[in-house]
Amino acid sequence: MPTELQMNLQNAVLILGYNNTRINDVKRIRETARNTLNAATILCKKSPTVEDKNTADFVIDVALNSDQKNIDNIMNAIKDISINVVAVLPFSDPGTQLGSKLALHLGLRGPDVNKVNTALDKYAYRQAEKNAQGYPRGYKPIFAEKIDSFEQLCAIHKQLNGKTFLKPTSEGNSRGCMNLSHVHSLENAWSEVRKYISSGVVAEELVSNSEEYSWDHVAGFSWVTEKKTTQNQYRAEIQQIVPAPLSDVETSLITNAGTFMSELAGSNHGACHNEVFYSEKCQSVQAVEPNLRPAGMRIWDLAALAYENFEPWKEWLLWTSQNNRQESFLNTLNQKCYAGLRMITAVKEGILQNIPEINLNTLSTEQVELIEIVWTKKPENSVTTVIKDNSDFIGYIIATSKDYDALSSFLDITTQKLALEVKIYDFFN
Amino acid sequence: MDTTDAQPTLNKINQMNQMELAKFLRKEISEEKLIILDFQYIQDEIECWWSKEKNNDNFQVLKFKFMNLLINSLHESDSYYFSNLGLNRSKIAAVCIKNIFRTDCHRLSLLVHESLSSLFQLTDIKYDYEEHKALFLKPSGEFYKDWGNGYGAITPHSDDLYENLNIDYLSLTICRDITKTPTSYIFPRDIVKNFNDIDLCKLLHLKAKFLSGKNVAILKERERNIMEYSEKYGLRFFLDFRIDNHTGERMQAVDPGEQYLIDMMRDNVSNFSQEQSIPETGTFLIVANHKVLHGRPQMNIDKSEIGNYTKHSCFIDTPRLLFRSKGPRNEINFYE
Ligand SMILES: [Fe+2]
């Protein structure tokens, strides 16, 4: 018989922020939390909006760095509403920091407080990488240095023979990233990254002749995602396919590298989205960055489509709340098909006027099933052909197929076809 | 795959001949229903909880706690309706809940209102140019009809048809109503009762122009079909029979040759006796805005008294105080 105290305690999961526009994933976490843990969803973030309040069951206005006062604020708020926190979900990059401390404080699973800064600070990861006691087979650390001045940038650029990649240390969504071999002058590059200097900018050796992948993981389930980026200087992510079409040997090289990265970052088998470069020629893997949160661009939804009986969101909640059925964190996934997402680029610059209604069935083929068309821009939004980050696309599609090549060309052709259907008011006529 | 049990797709409907289509339309609209629930069984618990919590001035905390109270104490047969309003699979067009509370307190009413609206997945939308949360008699109200804050009758309509965003749900909570003026509602089946197959099928393609009225401070206009079908929501109607003092008929056929269809519907609306809600403290009404039309008879008070009521109208002494929300269904939507 439960005591009166226990009966009044309502279970709740805490979400620590969300990156960019991922409010819809917050809705999904809320649904999953209610259905699998019978728990309410509390969103913790700085200056919550009306939309945040409409989405979560309760919102706590708090900064997400790991200051003790933020922990105190959260503890006071959960006391006010008499809830029993059963899971802590770091869902934003800054949230990983507070999340690890809070989980420790509450006796719940979370990232390792002593290592988690490498998941937020790209330079901290390079240092941890440099200091590691040995690497998995094929793993090559990347030369990196923090820059504070234009002179430093010039010196490093020279040292790297003009093959330099610039990265703000604490930005996501490819924001501020730049391939210096594509820019007209170092002055231009400097003026663009200046605004990130206060929070840190790293100059790294540019990785060439490599393809981008991510090793995605939750609660012992992992897979490799193929990523394609735009070919301009900004390298925004334009396409993902799960699983990546690699040989077993290649998949295990990336898996070992991903596992190594997650250990350096202290993931403790939680959610990981570790981005890597893989060179077929050298059979080598180089780390872009570890992320201790679910992947963006709906990679978890692609995995749910590609694998049998796999519900990554549910697995994440079960892991943080220590409710997993199994205690081993080596689980295998059975592939059903390939699932891919490709972004749609506007055909010209202007103001979006009209998006046609499209029946998914009419575009699907014998080999490829079109699952979703999503427009992220609406009428009256301005649109551009210069993609600096993911928010510059006008939408995306998701499709599945048993055949990788068929899926790949379908994604390419269909997004081009759809882009032509969108009416854009052009400033010049 | 056998899809006989599933809702027909739009393609399937487009392939129907006129007789099949008319039969289908009649069947669909005849199944929509209003559900009346009685929360008497948790009223004491709610009143007791409120007497302990009423000095708490953190509305967000109160709302969270109150929603928990409801989730934990309601019968499953009642909470079932929270996620099933206005959908094709359920055919539940409206839910009216009586006896939720008995204390006439505007804070408690607002709390109950916001909590139940959230549980029914209503995302409240506030437009800058419209005052919409509290409804009560406002100064100059006696000069208007077809206006929520006025005295005169309100002809059946769905809300905000001139806006770009569809309002899926509309909710009202009664804090007090000494005038005993109910909300009235009418189902599309009664509006098209005497239509023959030809005219009924024409409605699927009838386009009308919708104008904003007294309730908003700017004039808005939109052209749209008066009827739509989707697998998720089923048939939805976009009808507004109000006549505004300033802008006139709020809904007009785009093609004058089809205006007779709207006139026929308007006749039916004025001749059918409309059903009415329960104008008592502690009643919550939520309607699927495009499944059932709502309105209100003239306020149940003598016109000569209105001046007294509106002169000092505030939450404490206004004779009729309702809280209202309206907005789209809150769900995962990757289009945002
Ligand atoms: Fe209305």
Side-chain angles (χ1 to χ4, degrees):
Chain A
M1 178 104 182
T3 65
E4 197 190 339
L5 181 73
Q6 280 169 329
M7 280 171 63
N8 285 336
L9 282 180
Q10 161 94 18
N11 289 342
V13 303
L14 295 185
I15 297 181
L16 300 172
Y18 59 87
N19 284 351
N20 312 311
T21 54
R22 299 186 65 185
I23 186 83
N24 287 305
D25 285 332
V26 175
K27 286 184 191 176
R28 178 195 305 253
I29 293 169
R30 181 179 171 207
E31 271 189 15
T32 316
R34 205 170 272 299
N35 296 336
T36 57
L37 301 176
N38 189 26
T41 295
I42 317 280
L43 176 63
C44 305
K45 80 180 269 249
K46 189 76 209 141
S47 312
T49 62
V50 172
E51 195 187 17
D52 294 333
K53 289 179 186 169
N54 280 333
T55 300
D57 292 302
F58 193 79
V59 179
I60 300 172
D61 186 353
V62 63
L64 297 176
N65 58 54
S66 54
D67 287 358
Q68 184 59 37
K69 72 166 196 295
N70 295 333
I71 306 246
D72 295 343
N73 282 347
I74 292 178
M75 295 311 292
N76 286 335
I78 61 187
K79 207 175 111 213
D80 275 352
I81 52 174
S82 338
I83 47 158
N84 172 37
V85 178
V86 294
V88 173
L89 304 168
F91 194 48
S92 59
D93 293 314
T96 53
Q97 309 303 301
L98 184 59
S100 64
K101 252 197 173 171
L102 195 62
L104 186 69
H105 186 92
L106 292 164
L108 294 165
R109 276 197 190 131
D112 185 329
V113 280
N114 298 314
K115 298 177 175 174
V116 72
N117 69 319
T118 57
L120 185 68
D121 182 334
K122 290 168 182 141
Y123 186 60
Y125 180 76
R126 290 295 175 223
Q127 284 183 307
E129 186 183 52
K130 201 168 138 191
N131 298 332
Q133 315 271 327
Y135 304 104
R137 192 164 67 87
Y139 187 94
K140 286 207 305 204
I142 285 185
F143 171 85
E145 207 154 308
K146 214 164 190 167
I147 55 164
D148 300 303
S149 68
F150 180 61
E151 290 68 31
Q152 231 178 332
L153 173 65
C154 296
I156 290 173
H157 194 53
K158 204 173 157 197
Q159 188 186 341
L160 292 172
N161 288 326
K163 291 194 167 134
T164 316
F165 193 72
L166 285 185
K167 270 183 186 177
T169 53
S170 312
E171 293 288 325
N173 211 17
S174 327
R175 240 187 331 277
C177 291
M178 218 180 298
N179 176 351
L180 293 195
S181 63
H182 278 118
V183 297
H184 294 300
S185 71
L186 283 184
E187 282 84 358
N188 281 354
W190 177 246
S191 70
E192 284 209 41
V193 296
R194 263 193 105 126
K195 57 177 174 248
Y196 302 111
I197 287 291
S198 60
S199 52
V201 173
V202 185
E204 293 183 351
E205 67 177 281
L206 179 71
V207 177
S208 49
N209 301 319
S210 290
E211 300 298 326
E212 237 183 299
Y213 296 90
S214 67
W215 179 76
D216 292 284
H217 170 274
V218 60
F221 296 93
S222 73
W223 66 94
V224 177
T225 305
E226 179 196 55
K227 301 166 92 105
K228 288 222 158 68
T229 52
T230 54
Q231 292 306 303
N232 61 16
Q233 74 202 60
Y234 301 101
R235 296 219 302 220
E237 289 168 2
I238 192 170
Q239 179 178 299
Q240 330 256 26
I241 292 181
V242 175
L246 296 165
S247 70
D248 290 350
V249 174
E250 291 170 317
T251 300
S252 80
L253 277 180
I254 294 175
T255 299
N256 292 341
T259 310
F260 168 77
M261 290 167 76
S262 70
E263 278 161 13
L264 278 192
S267 94
N268 287 338
H269 305 290
C272 279
H273 172 60
N274 296 344
E275 297 171 26
V276 299
F277 283 117
Y278 168 69
S279 161
E280 199 185 337
K281 200 176 127 217
C282 315
Q283 293 276 297
S284 67
V285 185
Q286 289 173 290
V288 178
E289 63 181 35
N291 293 291
L292 298 191
R293 51 156 178 84
M297 273 177 81
R298 305 198 50 196
I299 288 179
W300 281 24
D301 297 331
L302 297 181
L305 288 168
Y307 296 105
E308 251 165 46
N309 298 324
F310 182 43
E311 296 174 80
W313 297 100
K314 189 171 154 187
E315 293 297 337
W316 193 33
L317 279 159
L318 293 176
W319 173 80
T320 45
S321 63
Q322 310 184 28
N323 276 306
N324 298 71
R325 286 151 297 167
Q326 74 291 335
E327 265 312 305
S328 127
F329 287 112
L330 272 174
N331 300 309
T332 42
L333 291 167
N334 293 323
Q335 189 187 345
K336 273 192 304 194
C337 61
Y338 291 97
L341 178 152
R342 189 174 175 98
M343 309 298 291
I344 305 170
T345 309
V347 289
K348 61 179 176 182
E349 198 174 321
I351 302 290
L352 199 157
Q353 264 191 302
N354 178 286
I355 294 169
E357 273 196 39
I358 292 150
N359 186 336
L360 295 176
N361 296 328
T362 61
L363 290 173
S364 294
T365 66
E366 215 167 280
Q367 278 187 298
V368 185
E369 187 183 356
L370 180 59
I371 306 287
E372 270 183 72
I373 304 175
V374 172
W375 301 102
T376 46
K377 298 279 186 204
K378 292 192 200 93
E380 288 163 44
N381 286 166
S382 61
V383 296
T384 176
T385 55
V386 183
I387 305 296
K388 291 193 178 175
D389 62 48
N390 302 48
S391 67
D392 292 322
F393 293 105
I394 57 174
Y396 61 85
I397 63 171
I398 290 179
T400 59
S401 175
K402 295 220 187 290
D403 184 292
Y404 171 82
D405 292 326
L407 176 63
S408 186
S409 66
F410 177 90
L411 290 172
D412 190 17
I413 293 165
T414 308
T415 47
Q416 289 187 42
K417 230 192 291 184
L418 287 171
L420 288 170
E421 300 272 327
V422 175
K423 284 204 179 67
I424 293 166
Y425 175 81
D426 169 347
F427 303 117
F428 307 106
N429 61 37
Chain B
M1 196 176 76
D2 182 29
T3 55
T4 42
D5 268 9
Q7 313 298 346
T9 62
L10 191 57
N11 279 349
K12 227 172 185 177
I13 288 170
N14 287 336
Q15 287 160 10
M16 290 179 183
N17 67 35
Q18 194 170 69
M19 227 174 76
E20 289 166 344
L21 183 60
K23 195 178 155 200
F24 168 76
L25 295 177
R26 282 186 217 284
K27 177 171 176 291
E28 286 290 300
I29 57 179
S30 71
E31 288 174 356
E32 294 289 348
K33 52 196 167 289
L34 167 95
I35 304 291
I36 293 175
L37 303 177
D38 190 342
F39 278 12
Q40 186 68 56
Y41 67 98
I42 54 162
Q43 195 191 71
D44 285 343
E45 187 183 350
I46 290 171
E47 290 284 343
C48 171
W49 176 85
W50 178 245
S51 66
K52 279 186 271 182
E53 293 279 358
K54 65 184 171 205
N55 294 321
N56 186 338
D57 57 10
N58 186 329
F59 190 79
Q60 206 208 168
V61 169
L62 282 174
K63 186 180 164 198
F64 182 82
K65 287 183 166 179
F66 186 66
M67 281 169 72
N68 275 338
L69 183 154
L70 290 176
I71 290 166
N72 293 329
S73 301
L74 283 175
H75 296 160
E76 232 169 85
S77 54
D78 287 344
S79 47
Y80 160 82
Y81 296 101
F82 291 156
S83 51
N84 284 293
L85 182 64
L87 302 180
N88 203 8
R89 59 161 194 255
S90 68
K91 298 283 193 293
I92 294 156
V95 176
C96 182
I97 308 173
K98 57 185 182 177
N99 298 319
I100 304 166
F101 59 94
R102 54 183 179 271
T103 303
D104 171 355
C105 162
H106 65 268
R107 291 182 65 235
L108 173 60
S109 304
L110 184 61
L111 177 66
V112 169
H113 176 75
E114 294 293 339
S115 303
L116 281 169
S117 297
S118 290
L119 287 169
F120 274 99
Q121 294 179 247
L122 187 164
T123 313
D124 198 22
I125 298 292
K126 167 101 183 76
Y127 293 107
D128 292 340
Y129 43 81
E130 184 187 31
E131 185 54 61
H132 95 265
K133 184 59 68 185
L135 284 176
F136 55 95
L137 264 176
K138 299 252 169 80
S140 82
E142 66 264 47
F143 304 117
Y144 291 95
K145 65 188 196 66
D146 281 349
W147 182 41
N149 291 309
Y151 164 79
I154 302 173
T155 321
H157 64 281
S158 292
D159 271 6
D160 291 2
L161 301 181
Y162 47 84
E163 297 285 0
N164 288 324
L165 184 75
N166 269 351
I167 297 295
D168 295 323
Y169 300 142
L170 169 76
S171 65
L172 288 169
T173 299
I174 300 171
C175 173
R176 105 180 42 98
D177 189 1
I178 62 171
T179 73
K180 301 278 178 250
T181 311
T183 299
S184 56
Y185 45 87
I186 182 166
F187 283 89
R189 61 172 166 266
D190 298 323
I191 299 175
V192 299
K193 209 163 199 168
N194 54 356
F195 274 51
N196 62 31
D197 286 1
I198 300 169
D199 286 339
L200 188 63
C201 293
K202 274 187 185 166
L203 292 182
L204 255 181
H205 306 286
L206 175 61
K207 276 194 165 37
K209 185 170 77 179
F210 293 91
L211 302 166
S212 63
K214 164 76 183 160
N215 57 323
V216 301
I218 54 173
L219 183 65
K220 290 200 122 197
E221 195 183 313
R222 178 178 174 187
E223 252 181 55
R224 68 190 304 166
N225 281 7
I226 62 126
M227 206 168 160
E228 272 177 19
Y229 178 83
S230 69
E231 276 170 73
K232 181 170 178 188
Y233 295 106
L235 281 178
R236 289 190 292 178
F237 289 82
F238 303 87
L239 295 169
D240 185 345
F241 295 100
R242 289 173 295 182
I243 297 174
D244 190 80
N245 285 30
H246 301 296
T247 50
E249 285 187 20
R250 302 265 301 253
M251 170 177 68
Q252 293 154 26
V254 170
D255 174 357
E258 291 181 324
Q259 179 62 34
Y260 80 98
L261 292 165
I262 289 181
D263 295 340
M264 274 168 68
M265 290 191 279
R266 191 182 292 280
D267 278 351
N268 288 338
V269 167
S270 40
N271 294 332
F272 272 99
S273 68
Q274 297 160 28
E275 295 178 68
Q276 299 190 329
S277 75
I278 305 142
E280 300 280 351
T281 294
T283 296
F284 173 85
L285 171 71
I286 184 161
V287 300
N289 189 38
H290 304 126
K291 294 284 188 178
V292 58
L293 284 71
H294 64 278
R296 197 195 66 198
Q298 178 179 297
M299 290 274 245
N300 225 341
I301 44 176
D302 197 277
K303 199 164 182 176
S304 61
E305 286 177 61
I306 303 169
N308 293 332
Y309 283 125
T310 59
K311 203 164 44 190
H312 305 292
S313 73
C314 72
F315 285 1
I316 308 293
D317 61 11
T318 187
R320 181 173 186 269
L321 175 62
L322 276 68
F323 291 101
R324 170 172 68 168
S325 296
K326 56 183 175 179
R329 182 179 159 89
N330 184 1
E331 55 198 334
I332 298 172
N333 176 7
F334 287 100
Y335 289 67
E336 295 292 332

